[in-house]
Amino acid sequence: MADFTFSTLKYERPDFTEVEQLFEKLVKQVQEAAAYEGLKELLKKAERVQNKLMTACTIASIRHTLDTTDTYYEKEDEYINNTIPTVMPKFLAFDAAVMNSPFRDDIEKEYGKQYFAQKELNRKTFCEANIPLMQQEAKLTNEYQKIMATAAIEFEGQTLNLYGVQKYFEHEDREVRRAAVRAYSDFYHSNEKRLEEIWEELITIRNQMGKNLGYANFIPVGYMQQGRTDYGEKEVAAFREQVRTELVPLCEQLYAAQAKRIGVDTLMFYDEKRVFPDGNAVPAGDDDFMVEEARKMYHKISPETGEFIDFMIEHELMDLKNKPGKAATGYMTFLPDYRAPFVFSNFNQTIFDMQVLTHELGHAFAGYMAMREQPITEYYSESTDIAEIHSMSMEQFSYPYAEAFFGKDADKFRFAHLQEAITFVPFGVAVDEFQHICYANPELTPKERTAEWKKLEEKYMPWRKYDADDFFDRGGFWYHKLHIYLYPFYYINYTLTTMGAMEFKKKNYENHETAWQDYLNLCKCGGSMSYLETLRYANLSNPFEPGSVARAMEVAKQELMNSPFMR
């Protein structure tokens, strides 16, 4: 393992037939196990088989997103997505045998109750009738992703992808900003018909999945797919209302101050990214410079983060430069056979690049630690609502090192980043509520759904104005949010975890050593506990409690409102 690099990893198409046959044998052996030690060896064997399978599938998936025009990996990814659902019954049969084992108490004593809680969620979210639906879903989400990845936007004499054109949202010339947003909007408008059709089909498919599992629609399944075991729709709706009452007024103040700062009477959408009249903070060097400064920063933060960043660089586990054909996304995944995270993104020479180096690497650091602390692969990754605390908190822990990345503009970076962390939250809860509306009301027409998004903008983002941009002004902005298509009900996690990140910010001011130890504990525990249990373990508050949003945002709000940039 010590000598591998991602670029030289050998990929072989997984032998799914062999995997199925192995698991058929394992089921019988589990049922016949006469002692716990024998059962434990069978669990380890199953883990090795699944790790090998997952590693191969992940290599193919990463290489497909690195170049969506590569037909070999496109076909491999399609084959895997079509075949994985067909072997799920074998995995679930194995899980059922383990859950019914007379040694269940021994397993729970060694691995905790979350071990069976996860398996129960897997059981509740799968049935064989959903296999063809899962295959159709994968095909549609891949199509959406390819449309995004192959975007070719003509702008300022260049052909840009979606990440490339967004750089101009910060341009000093207001007309250039306006034109860049229009070019971005026009791309989605030109693809509106097919994007409408894909979303319509996904709603139908996913709601049928829910019905096949005994639910009225997809919503309960979506929650379970996110690993949620100790809260539901009611708690999330109450949280959204806290955001509306506590954060929306604050965001209106921040944007009103920004309009005054940059000298415009009315802040338009194409002005929102232009935070300062003399220009936003920009990286002090090129892509390689940013990675090198990140390496230095992680060595300063802690011994653990220093070891981690060296591992990532040595094994080529980051692909961050913007290139034609790359998927228009950013993510962290992992290769279990190598206990290795992998980070994917597209730099665009804005403060976004720093967010990649902290957010996605925050995910990766948590995975790196869990893979070295947790005894089983099931605990290498946590529920998605915990995962985003790792990433967003690392963004906050990086603030003292901003000078290395932005030089004299470090204070600009910190202010703009913190403002965006807060102003993002209303958008995030709107994305969540939009999905609830769509799945609960499948009879809505495509244009009616877009009108619903417009209502949500008025509810959660009353400052948002598109300057008579027909497509965005009538509600078309939601089409750009890939999570709606690819990762249903994921997006609320970013808003919930913003509360955790802001709480870590507050704790870091009070006592850095204590805050960092709590963060390290959070990363090490992986997925071994439920959401609320993990929060308690890391000494973090429950975001669903009344007043939690106001308390979590207290320090960040004071920092922004007292900033010289607000005068």
Side-chain angles (χ1 to χ4, degrees):
M1 187 177 87
D3 297 330
F4 85 93
T5 58
F6 180 77
S7 62
T8 59
L9 287 181
K10 184 179 180 182
Y11 167 74
E12 292 182 357
R13 175 178 281 193
D15 187 337
F16 287 100
T17 301
E18 181 183 39
V19 170
E20 286 185 298
Q21 292 171 349
L22 279 168
F23 268 80
E24 286 176 358
K25 292 178 182 177
L26 284 168
V27 168
K28 293 179 182 178
Q29 291 170 336
V30 166
Q31 292 169 339
E32 296 168 357
Y36 176 55
E37 286 305 314
L39 174 62
K40 193 172 173 181
E41 286 304 311
L42 295 172
L43 296 178
K44 289 180 179 178
K45 183 176 181 179
E47 182 179 55
R48 287 193 296 271
V49 174
Q50 288 182 312
N51 283 355
K52 181 181 178 182
L53 174 65
M54 182 179 173
T55 299
C57 294
T58 303
I59 291 171
S61 176
I62 292 170
R63 289 181 177 163
H64 171 53
T65 56
L66 287 172
D67 183 2
T68 59
T69 66
D70 183 325
T71 56
Y72 174 76
Y73 281 110
E74 179 181 23
K75 290 177 181 177
E76 287 302 295
D77 194 55
E78 181 180 2
Y79 168 75
I80 289 167
N81 286 333
N82 281 333
T83 312
I84 280 284
T86 67
V87 301
M88 285 295 295
K90 304 298 181 184
F91 295 156
L92 291 173
F94 177 81
D95 286 350
V98 173
M99 292 171 79
N100 292 324
S101 167
F103 306 107
R104 176 172 175 145
D105 289 346
D106 297 279
I107 298 171
E108 190 165 309
K109 183 177 180 180
E110 182 160 359
Y111 298 123
K113 65 179 183 179
Q114 193 64 13
Y115 181 87
F116 287 109
Q118 287 185 359
K119 293 191 181 302
E120 185 63 21
L121 285 180
N122 292 338
R123 184 189 67 79
K124 288 181 177 179
T125 55
F126 180 85
C127 67
E128 293 199 40
N130 281 348
I131 290 175
L133 297 175
M134 294 167 71
Q135 293 168 332
Q136 293 173 49
E137 179 188 34
K139 184 177 180 180
L140 289 165
T141 56
N142 275 340
E143 182 184 353
Y144 174 87
Q145 191 158 249
K146 189 165 186 177
I147 292 171
M148 300 302 112
T150 56
I153 300 171
E154 298 300 322
F155 187 76
E156 297 275 294
Q158 306 169 78
T159 301
L160 303 172
N161 61 16
L162 292 170
Y163 276 86
V165 77
Q166 288 179 68
K167 178 180 179 179
Y168 292 90
F169 290 8
E170 301 182 12
H171 198 275
E172 62 183 6
D173 187 327
R174 199 180 194 202
E175 287 306 311
V176 173
R177 297 199 299 273
R178 182 179 184 179
V181 168
R182 175 54 66 96
Y184 188 76
S185 169
D186 286 348
F187 167 78
Y188 290 97
H189 195 182
S190 66
N191 287 283
E192 180 180 16
K193 185 176 186 300
R194 185 55 190 149
L195 294 178
E196 284 180 339
E197 292 168 348
I198 292 173
W199 183 229
E200 175 88 27
E201 291 177 59
L202 284 171
I203 292 169
T204 302
I205 286 168
R206 288 169 177 160
N207 271 346
Q208 188 59 52
M209 287 180 181
K211 291 174 183 177
N212 289 347
L213 289 163
Y215 303 102
N217 54 42
F218 176 73
I219 295 172
V221 180
Y223 272 58
M224 288 187 285
Q225 286 180 347
Q226 294 301 321
R228 295 168 188 160
T229 58
D230 43 14
Y231 67 93
E233 293 178 61
K234 180 181 177 182
E235 289 81 3
V236 170
F239 173 78
R240 292 198 302 260
E241 180 60 16
Q242 282 198 64
V243 170
R244 188 187 68 80
T245 57
E246 291 291 339
L247 288 191
V248 170
L250 172 59
C251 293
E252 289 185 287
Q253 285 181 272
L254 292 169
Y255 279 126
Q258 183 174 327
K260 183 178 179 181
R261 187 184 315 123
I262 67 173
V264 297
D265 292 332
T266 302
L267 192 80
M268 310 305 294
F269 173 65
Y270 52 76
D271 296 319
E272 289 183 16
K273 295 294 184 182
R274 181 74 177 183
V275 183
F276 305 100
D278 56 344
N280 294 353
V282 294
D286 61 13
D287 296 348
D288 293 332
F289 165 86
M290 294 293 282
V291 172
E292 174 58 19
E293 290 304 317
R295 185 191 67 79
K296 294 176 185 175
M297 176 185 74
Y298 282 114
H299 272 275
K300 291 175 182 176
I301 289 176
S302 75
E304 294 88 353
T305 49
E307 175 188 295
F308 152 74
I309 194 64
D310 288 346
F311 179 85
M312 297 294 288
I313 293 172
E314 178 185 351
H315 298 293
E316 298 177 4
L317 294 167
M318 300 183 288
D319 195 293
L320 307 175
K321 295 183 179 181
N322 190 5
K323 292 172 281 194
K326 278 185 77 173
T329 186
Y331 62 78
M332 186 284 287
T333 186
F334 69 98
L335 304 162
D337 271 354
Y338 300 92
R339 292 196 300 163
F342 186 93
V343 169
F344 175 103
S345 194
N346 292 273
F347 277 174
N348 66 359
Q349 294 76 53
T350 69
I351 68 170
F352 169 80
D353 300 351
M354 180 61 170
Q355 289 172 250
V356 168
L357 290 168
T358 52
H359 184 101
E360 297 302 343
L361 284 174
H363 282 307
F365 175 66
Y368 180 86
M369 294 305 298
M371 284 186 271
R372 282 148 184 79
E373 292 287 331
Q374 292 302 320
I376 52 175
T377 306
E378 283 95 329
Y379 290 169
Y380 285 179
S381 58
E382 57 293 311
S383 60
T384 55
D385 38 25
I386 290 296
E388 295 301 336
I389 302 179
H390 303 143
S391 55
M392 292 186 164
S393 298
M394 186 64 85
E395 293 178 40
Q396 296 301 317
F397 282 119
S398 74
Y399 274 24
Y401 307 94
E403 277 76 7
F405 296 89
F406 297 100
K408 63 181 177 58
D409 288 338
D411 284 339
K412 281 185 174 182
F413 162 75
R414 282 184 280 258
F415 179 87
H417 181 272
L418 186 57
Q419 173 173 290
E420 185 167 347
I422 291 176
T423 56
F424 157 79
V425 175
F427 170 75
V429 298
V431 169
D432 181 69
E433 189 166 331
F434 179 70
Q435 293 175 83
H436 282 83
I437 291 169
C438 290
Y439 289 112
N441 301 279
E443 73 283 356
L444 292 174
T445 67
K447 294 297 186 289
E448 286 172 337
R449 293 187 192 109
T450 296
E452 290 295 326
W453 174 260
K454 181 64 176 177
K455 293 177 188 176
L456 291 171
E457 285 191 332
E458 293 167 352
K459 177 179 179 179
Y460 291 111
M461 294 163 278
W463 59 83
R464 177 68 52 88
K465 293 179 176 61
Y466 292 107
D467 193 24
D469 181 313
D470 176 65
F471 183 61
F472 279 178
D473 193 49
R474 65 176 166 84
F477 189 64
W478 73 268
Y479 284 102
H480 91 287
K481 188 39 62 187
L482 63 84
H483 297 72
I484 294 174
Y485 286 84
L486 272 57
Y487 313 117
F489 295 106
Y490 187 104
Y491 216 65
I492 194 68
N493 298 325
Y494 292 114
T495 66
L496 292 171
T497 55
T498 297
M499 304 306 117
M502 292 303 128
E503 194 169 353
F504 267 123
K505 182 181 186 69
K506 180 180 179 181
K507 289 153 68 89
N508 197 41
Y509 278 146
E510 295 167 350
N511 188 311
H512 171 72
E513 287 72 22
T514 300
W516 181 255
Q517 190 57 54
D518 283 343
Y519 178 75
L520 204 57
N521 290 340
L522 179 74
C523 294
K524 288 179 178 180
C525 77
S528 62
M529 305 176 196
S530 73
Y531 174 66
L532 294 179
E533 288 171 338
T534 304
L535 292 181
R536 287 191 290 270
Y537 180 71
N539 295 312
L540 293 172
S541 302
N542 180 345
F544 302 119
E545 292 177 351
S548 62
V549 171
R551 288 191 297 272
M553 288 292 175
E554 181 183 5
V555 167
K557 180 179 179 179
Q558 290 175 359
E559 185 173 320
L560 286 172
M561 300 308 289
N562 294 331
S563 169
F565 296 120
M566 290 294 287
R567 295 169 193 161

